Amino acid sequence: MYVPEKIERILYTQEELAERVRQLGERLTSDYGGKNPLFVCVLKGSVVFFADLIRGVRCPLEIEFYKASSYDGTRSTGKVDSKSDVPDITGRDVVLVEDIVDTARTLSDVKARFLEKSPASLKIACLLDKRSCRDERFKNFSADYTGFEIENLFVVGYGLDCSQAFRNLPYIGVYK
Ligand code: XMP
Ligand code: MG
């Protein structure tokens, strides 16, 4: 297996990720059947999770992409950088798909921007949640669908990066 020197240990293997993502897909299938939801991939980190998640949802759906980030290297900058326009979501059942919730600054900002566009509903699916790292202002923020709650570790792989590297690892690893 390819484990770069900067990876301290593997937190979730490819198989563990596949099983958890499959379970989330099952829940989404039963919650969104007959609704033609719009799944929005929050770029870039959620791209791998997104691709696996939507293939586990067994009902008609559409996809969109939205670019936002607040990280620089391994630190949250606190400043959310939204680089795209919110797609036309009026009256749509929207599921925002994010790789990880940390301080929740990014998703709180993205969620507010999406809510301004009058979706019929807006839910959040995230693979990882670092609950203990919430910004005081967003301490009650939680996702509607969560893969795993993790401690305060910097993790990479399965789409997550450190300065753009390691997104291609098929597992989630702890960065040294
Ligand atoms: P906030 O703090 O706004 O952060 O909830 C969410 C965004 O920060 C990135 N992030 C990470 N990226 N490993 C990463 O590769 C991590 O451990 C990590 N923690 C936060 C991520 O891009 C997410 O969208
Ligand atoms: Mg990132």
Side-chain angles (χ1 to χ4, degrees), residues 119-132:
S121 67
L122 182 64
K123 300 275 186 190
I124 291 174
C126 73
L127 178 66
L128 304 173
D129 189 347
K130 290 191 201 172
R131 262 220 152 273
S132 63

Side-chain angles (χ1 to χ4, degrees), residues 71-98:
Y71 253 66
D72 180 17
T74 61
R75 283 181 317 121
S76 180
T77 59
K79 198 177 119 284
V80 181
D81 193 8
S82 287
K83 296 193 170 92
S84 357
D85 291 329
V86 176
D88 182 14
I89 56 167
T90 311
R92 299 296 304 267
D93 290 299
V94 176
V95 181
L96 280 173
V97 181
E98 175 66 301

Side-chain angles (χ1 to χ4, degrees), residues 25-37 39 57-61 93 95 145:
E26 289 295 325
R27 276 184 57 204
L28 288 158
T29 301
S30 65
D31 293 353
Y32 286 93
K35 291 186 174 164
N36 192 31
F39 277 60
V57 182
R58 290 172 290 108
C59 67
L61 60 79
D93 290 299
V95 181
Y145 304 86

Side-chain angles (χ1 to χ4, degrees), residues 5-172:
E5 195 268 324
K6 283 285 186 187
I7 304 301
E8 188 177 288
R9 64 188 162 94
I10 293 173
L11 191 61
Y12 296 110
T13 64
Q14 193 168 359
E15 293 72 28
E16 287 167 335
L17 292 168
E19 175 53 20
R20 187 65 187 131
V21 173
R22 190 195 62 74
Q23 291 170 358
L24 294 177
E26 289 295 325
R27 276 184 57 204
L28 288 158
T29 301
S30 65
D31 293 353
Y32 286 93
K35 291 186 174 164
N36 192 31
L38 181 67
F39 277 60
V40 179
C41 175
V42 182
L43 293 170
K44 299 175 192 172
S46 67
V47 68
V48 180
F49 172 47
F50 185 81
D52 284 344
L53 184 69
I54 60 170
R55 285 179 292 175
V57 182
R58 290 172 290 108
C59 67
L61 60 79
E62 295 175 20
I63 66 170
E64 266 296 348
F65 298 89
Y66 185 78
K67 186 152 173 47
S69 65
S70 71
Y71 253 66
D72 180 17
T74 61
R75 283 181 317 121
S76 180
T77 59
K79 198 177 119 284
V80 181
D81 193 8
S82 287
K83 296 193 170 92
S84 357
D85 291 329
V86 176
D88 182 14
I89 56 167
T90 311
R92 299 296 304 267
D93 290 299
V94 176
V95 181
L96 280 173
V97 181
E98 175 66 301
D99 51 357
I100 186 164
V101 189
D102 185 328
T103 63
R105 289 181 197 129
T106 307
L107 271 183
S108 300
D109 182 272
V110 172
K111 191 177 175 182
R113 286 171 202 238
F114 273 66
L115 284 174
E116 278 172 19
K117 303 281 178 174
S118 310
S121 67
L122 182 64
K123 300 275 186 190
I124 291 174
C126 73
L127 178 66
L128 304 173
D129 189 347
K130 290 191 201 172
R131 262 220 152 273
S132 63
C133 299
R134 287 291 188 277
D135 184 311
E136 186 56 30
R137 289 172 296 163
F138 309 121
K139 64 178 191 301
N140 294 322
F141 185 96
S142 63
D144 302 283
Y145 304 86
T146 303
F148 302 98
E149 254 191 47
I150 66 167
E151 304 164 50
N152 183 14
L153 297 166
F154 194 80
V155 292
V156 296
Y158 199 67
L160 290 108
D161 71 306
C162 180
S163 302
Q164 303 305 324
F166 309 114
R167 295 192 196 275
N168 56 321
L169 302 179
Y171 49 83
I172 298 276

